[in-house]
Short mmCIF file of all heavy atoms in Angstrom, two decimals:
data_model
loop_
_atom_site.label_atom_id
_atom_site.label_comp_id
_atom_site.label_asym_id
_atom_site.label_seq_id
_atom_site.Cartn_x
_atom_site.Cartn_y
_atom_site.Cartn_z
N ASN A 193 45.91 -66.73 -23.13
CA ASN A 193 44.97 -65.83 -23.80
C ASN A 193 45.00 -66.05 -25.32
O ASN A 193 45.11 -65.11 -26.10
CB ASN A 193 45.26 -64.37 -23.47
CG ASN A 193 44.01 -63.50 -23.60
OD1 ASN A 193 42.96 -63.86 -23.08
ND2 ASN A 193 44.12 -62.39 -24.29
N THR A 194 44.89 -67.32 -25.71
CA THR A 194 44.90 -67.67 -27.12
C THR A 194 43.75 -68.62 -27.45
O THR A 194 43.19 -69.27 -26.56
CB THR A 194 46.23 -68.34 -27.53
OG1 THR A 194 46.41 -69.53 -26.72
CG2 THR A 194 47.41 -67.41 -27.32
N ALA A 195 43.42 -68.68 -28.74
CA ALA A 195 42.42 -69.62 -29.25
C ALA A 195 43.03 -70.36 -30.43
O ALA A 195 43.78 -69.78 -31.21
CB ALA A 195 41.16 -68.89 -29.67
N THR A 196 42.71 -71.65 -30.56
CA THR A 196 43.26 -72.47 -31.63
C THR A 196 42.13 -72.98 -32.52
O THR A 196 41.10 -73.43 -32.03
CB THR A 196 44.06 -73.65 -31.05
OG1 THR A 196 45.13 -73.14 -30.23
CG2 THR A 196 44.65 -74.51 -32.16
N PHE A 197 42.36 -72.90 -33.84
CA PHE A 197 41.36 -73.31 -34.83
C PHE A 197 41.99 -74.25 -35.85
O PHE A 197 43.19 -74.20 -36.13
CB PHE A 197 40.82 -72.09 -35.59
CG PHE A 197 40.15 -71.06 -34.73
CD1 PHE A 197 40.89 -70.04 -34.15
CD2 PHE A 197 38.78 -71.10 -34.51
CE1 PHE A 197 40.28 -69.09 -33.37
CE2 PHE A 197 38.16 -70.15 -33.72
CZ PHE A 197 38.91 -69.14 -33.15
N ALA A 198 41.15 -75.11 -36.41
CA ALA A 198 41.51 -75.88 -37.59
C ALA A 198 40.77 -75.26 -38.77
O ALA A 198 39.56 -75.02 -38.69
CB ALA A 198 41.11 -77.34 -37.43
N VAL A 199 41.49 -74.96 -39.85
CA VAL A 199 40.89 -74.33 -41.03
C VAL A 199 41.22 -75.17 -42.26
O VAL A 199 42.31 -75.76 -42.36
CB VAL A 199 41.40 -72.89 -41.22
CG1 VAL A 199 40.80 -71.98 -40.17
CG2 VAL A 199 42.93 -72.82 -41.13
N TYR A 200 40.27 -75.20 -43.21
CA TYR A 200 40.40 -76.07 -44.37
C TYR A 200 39.67 -75.42 -45.53
O TYR A 200 38.55 -74.89 -45.37
CB TYR A 200 39.79 -77.43 -44.04
CG TYR A 200 39.66 -78.40 -45.20
CD1 TYR A 200 40.68 -79.27 -45.53
CD2 TYR A 200 38.48 -78.45 -45.94
CE1 TYR A 200 40.55 -80.19 -46.57
CE2 TYR A 200 38.33 -79.36 -46.98
CZ TYR A 200 39.37 -80.22 -47.30
OH TYR A 200 39.24 -81.11 -48.33
N ALA A 201 40.28 -75.40 -46.72
CA ALA A 201 39.64 -74.81 -47.89
C ALA A 201 40.15 -75.48 -49.16
O ALA A 201 41.35 -75.76 -49.29
CB ALA A 201 39.91 -73.31 -47.95
N VAL A 202 39.21 -75.73 -50.08
CA VAL A 202 39.54 -76.28 -51.39
C VAL A 202 39.19 -75.24 -52.43
O VAL A 202 38.02 -74.84 -52.53
CB VAL A 202 38.77 -77.58 -51.66
CG1 VAL A 202 39.12 -78.13 -53.04
CG2 VAL A 202 39.03 -78.61 -50.58
N PRO A 203 40.16 -74.74 -53.21
CA PRO A 203 39.83 -73.73 -54.22
C PRO A 203 38.92 -74.32 -55.30
O PRO A 203 39.06 -75.48 -55.67
CB PRO A 203 41.19 -73.33 -54.79
CG PRO A 203 42.08 -74.50 -54.52
CD PRO A 203 41.59 -75.09 -53.24
N LYS A 204 38.01 -73.51 -55.77
CA LYS A 204 37.10 -73.98 -56.82
C LYS A 204 37.88 -74.25 -58.11
O LYS A 204 37.58 -75.19 -58.84
CB LYS A 204 36.01 -72.93 -57.06
CG LYS A 204 34.90 -73.40 -57.97
CD LYS A 204 33.78 -72.38 -58.01
CE LYS A 204 32.62 -72.89 -58.85
NZ LYS A 204 31.51 -71.90 -58.90
N THR A 205 38.87 -73.38 -58.37
CA THR A 205 39.73 -73.57 -59.54
C THR A 205 41.18 -73.58 -59.07
O THR A 205 41.71 -72.55 -58.65
CB THR A 205 39.52 -72.45 -60.57
OG1 THR A 205 38.14 -72.41 -60.95
CG2 THR A 205 40.38 -72.68 -61.80
N TYR A 206 41.80 -74.74 -59.12
CA TYR A 206 43.18 -74.85 -58.68
C TYR A 206 44.12 -74.63 -59.86
O TYR A 206 43.90 -75.14 -60.97
CB TYR A 206 43.44 -76.22 -58.06
CG TYR A 206 44.89 -76.42 -57.66
CD1 TYR A 206 45.38 -75.87 -56.48
CD2 TYR A 206 45.76 -77.14 -58.48
CE1 TYR A 206 46.71 -76.04 -56.12
CE2 TYR A 206 47.08 -77.31 -58.11
CZ TYR A 206 47.55 -76.75 -56.94
OH TYR A 206 48.87 -76.91 -56.58
N VAL A 207 45.17 -73.84 -59.63
CA VAL A 207 46.19 -73.57 -60.63
C VAL A 207 47.52 -74.06 -60.07
O VAL A 207 47.83 -73.84 -58.89
CB VAL A 207 46.28 -72.06 -60.96
CG1 VAL A 207 47.39 -71.79 -61.96
CG2 VAL A 207 44.94 -71.56 -61.49
N GLU A 208 48.30 -74.72 -60.91
CA GLU A 208 49.59 -75.24 -60.46
C GLU A 208 50.44 -74.11 -59.87
O GLU A 208 50.58 -73.04 -60.45
CB GLU A 208 50.34 -75.88 -61.64
CG GLU A 208 51.59 -76.64 -61.24
CD GLU A 208 51.26 -77.87 -60.41
OE1 GLU A 208 50.18 -78.47 -60.62
OE2 GLU A 208 52.08 -78.23 -59.54
N GLY A 209 50.98 -74.34 -58.69
CA GLY A 209 51.78 -73.33 -58.01
C GLY A 209 50.97 -72.43 -57.10
O GLY A 209 51.53 -71.56 -56.42
N MET A 210 49.66 -72.63 -57.04
CA MET A 210 48.81 -71.80 -56.17
C MET A 210 49.18 -72.04 -54.71
O MET A 210 49.49 -73.16 -54.30
CB MET A 210 47.34 -72.14 -56.40
CG MET A 210 46.38 -71.44 -55.45
SD MET A 210 44.65 -71.93 -55.70
CE MET A 210 44.25 -70.99 -57.17
N GLU A 211 49.14 -70.96 -53.93
CA GLU A 211 49.35 -71.04 -52.50
C GLU A 211 48.12 -70.50 -51.79
O GLU A 211 47.28 -69.82 -52.39
CB GLU A 211 50.58 -70.23 -52.08
CG GLU A 211 51.89 -70.73 -52.70
CD GLU A 211 53.07 -69.86 -52.30
OE1 GLU A 211 52.83 -68.76 -51.74
OE2 GLU A 211 54.21 -70.28 -52.54
N ALA A 212 48.01 -70.81 -50.50
CA ALA A 212 46.89 -70.32 -49.70
C ALA A 212 47.39 -69.77 -48.38
O ALA A 212 48.27 -70.36 -47.75
CB ALA A 212 45.87 -71.43 -49.46
N LEU A 213 46.85 -68.64 -48.00
CA LEU A 213 47.12 -68.05 -46.69
C LEU A 213 45.80 -67.98 -45.93
O LEU A 213 44.77 -67.59 -46.49
CB LEU A 213 47.70 -66.64 -46.84
CG LEU A 213 49.07 -66.49 -47.49
CD1 LEU A 213 49.40 -65.02 -47.68
CD2 LEU A 213 50.14 -67.17 -46.64
N PHE A 214 45.83 -68.36 -44.67
CA PHE A 214 44.66 -68.20 -43.81
C PHE A 214 44.87 -66.96 -42.96
O PHE A 214 45.92 -66.78 -42.33
CB PHE A 214 44.45 -69.44 -42.94
CG PHE A 214 44.03 -70.65 -43.73
CD1 PHE A 214 44.95 -71.64 -44.07
CD2 PHE A 214 42.72 -70.78 -44.15
CE1 PHE A 214 44.57 -72.74 -44.81
CE2 PHE A 214 42.32 -71.89 -44.89
CZ PHE A 214 43.25 -72.86 -45.23
N LEU A 215 43.86 -66.08 -42.96
CA LEU A 215 43.93 -64.83 -42.21
C LEU A 215 43.04 -64.91 -40.98
O LEU A 215 41.95 -65.49 -41.02
CB LEU A 215 43.47 -63.65 -43.08
CG LEU A 215 44.16 -63.43 -44.42
CD1 LEU A 215 43.66 -62.14 -45.06
CD2 LEU A 215 45.67 -63.38 -44.26
N ALA A 216 43.48 -64.28 -39.91
CA ALA A 216 42.70 -64.18 -38.67
C ALA A 216 42.70 -62.72 -38.23
O ALA A 216 43.75 -62.18 -37.89
CB ALA A 216 43.26 -65.08 -37.58
N ASP A 217 41.53 -62.10 -38.26
CA ASP A 217 41.38 -60.72 -37.77
C ASP A 217 40.85 -60.80 -36.35
O ASP A 217 39.70 -61.17 -36.12
CB ASP A 217 40.41 -59.94 -38.67
CG ASP A 217 40.31 -58.48 -38.27
OD1 ASP A 217 40.87 -58.12 -37.22
OD2 ASP A 217 39.68 -57.70 -39.00
N CYS A 218 41.70 -60.45 -35.39
CA CYS A 218 41.38 -60.60 -33.97
C CYS A 218 41.37 -59.24 -33.26
O CYS A 218 41.87 -59.12 -32.14
CB CYS A 218 42.36 -61.54 -33.28
SG CYS A 218 42.57 -63.11 -34.11
N GLU A 219 40.84 -58.21 -33.91
CA GLU A 219 40.80 -56.86 -33.35
C GLU A 219 42.19 -56.29 -33.18
O GLU A 219 42.41 -55.40 -32.36
CB GLU A 219 40.05 -56.84 -32.01
CG GLU A 219 38.61 -57.32 -32.10
CD GLU A 219 37.90 -57.32 -30.75
OE1 GLU A 219 38.48 -57.82 -29.77
OE2 GLU A 219 36.78 -56.81 -30.69
N GLU A 220 43.16 -56.80 -33.93
CA GLU A 220 44.51 -56.26 -33.90
C GLU A 220 44.64 -55.21 -34.99
O GLU A 220 43.72 -54.94 -35.74
CB GLU A 220 45.53 -57.39 -34.11
CG GLU A 220 45.44 -58.52 -33.11
CD GLU A 220 45.92 -58.13 -31.73
OE1 GLU A 220 46.71 -57.17 -31.62
OE2 GLU A 220 45.50 -58.77 -30.74
N ASP A 221 45.82 -54.59 -35.10
CA ASP A 221 46.05 -53.58 -36.13
C ASP A 221 45.92 -54.15 -37.53
O ASP A 221 45.44 -53.48 -38.45
CB ASP A 221 47.43 -52.94 -35.95
CG ASP A 221 47.53 -52.12 -34.67
OD1 ASP A 221 46.47 -51.68 -34.19
OD2 ASP A 221 48.65 -51.95 -34.17
N ALA A 222 46.34 -55.38 -37.72
CA ALA A 222 46.26 -56.01 -39.04
C ALA A 222 45.99 -57.50 -38.84
O ALA A 222 46.37 -58.08 -37.82
CB ALA A 222 47.57 -55.80 -39.81
N PRO A 223 45.32 -58.14 -39.82
CA PRO A 223 45.06 -59.57 -39.70
C PRO A 223 46.36 -60.38 -39.65
O PRO A 223 47.37 -60.00 -40.25
CB PRO A 223 44.26 -59.89 -40.97
CG PRO A 223 43.69 -58.59 -41.41
CD PRO A 223 44.69 -57.55 -41.01
N LEU A 224 46.33 -61.48 -38.92
CA LEU A 224 47.48 -62.38 -38.84
C LEU A 224 47.41 -63.36 -40.01
O LEU A 224 46.33 -63.81 -40.39
CB LEU A 224 47.47 -63.14 -37.51
CG LEU A 224 47.47 -62.26 -36.25
CD1 LEU A 224 47.33 -63.15 -35.01
CD2 LEU A 224 48.74 -61.43 -36.17
N GLU A 225 48.57 -63.71 -40.59
CA GLU A 225 48.62 -64.60 -41.73
C GLU A 225 49.28 -65.93 -41.35
O GLU A 225 50.28 -65.95 -40.64
CB GLU A 225 49.41 -63.97 -42.89
CG GLU A 225 48.74 -62.74 -43.49
CD GLU A 225 49.46 -62.28 -44.76
OE1 GLU A 225 50.51 -62.88 -45.10
OE2 GLU A 225 48.97 -61.33 -45.40
N PHE A 226 48.68 -67.03 -41.87
CA PHE A 226 49.21 -68.36 -41.61
C PHE A 226 49.22 -69.12 -42.94
O PHE A 226 48.18 -69.23 -43.60
CB PHE A 226 48.35 -69.11 -40.59
CG PHE A 226 48.22 -68.41 -39.26
CD1 PHE A 226 47.21 -67.47 -39.06
CD2 PHE A 226 49.09 -68.69 -38.22
CE1 PHE A 226 47.08 -66.81 -37.85
CE2 PHE A 226 48.97 -68.04 -37.01
CZ PHE A 226 47.97 -67.09 -36.82
N PRO A 227 50.36 -69.68 -43.35
CA PRO A 227 50.41 -70.42 -44.61
C PRO A 227 49.63 -71.72 -44.52
O PRO A 227 49.67 -72.42 -43.50
CB PRO A 227 51.91 -70.67 -44.82
CG PRO A 227 52.49 -70.61 -43.44
CD PRO A 227 51.67 -69.61 -42.69
#
Side-chain angles (χ1 to χ4, degrees):
N193 206 48
T194 59
T196 301
F197 300 88
V199 287
Y200 171 89
V202 180
K204 189 172 184 180
T205 303
Y206 177 79
V207 178
E208 189 66 31
M210 174 183 283
E211 298 178 348
L213 295 174
F214 291 101
L215 305 185
D217 185 351
C218 309
E219 300 179 313
E220 303 288 337
D221 293 336
L224 303 175
E225 294 188 356
F226 302 88

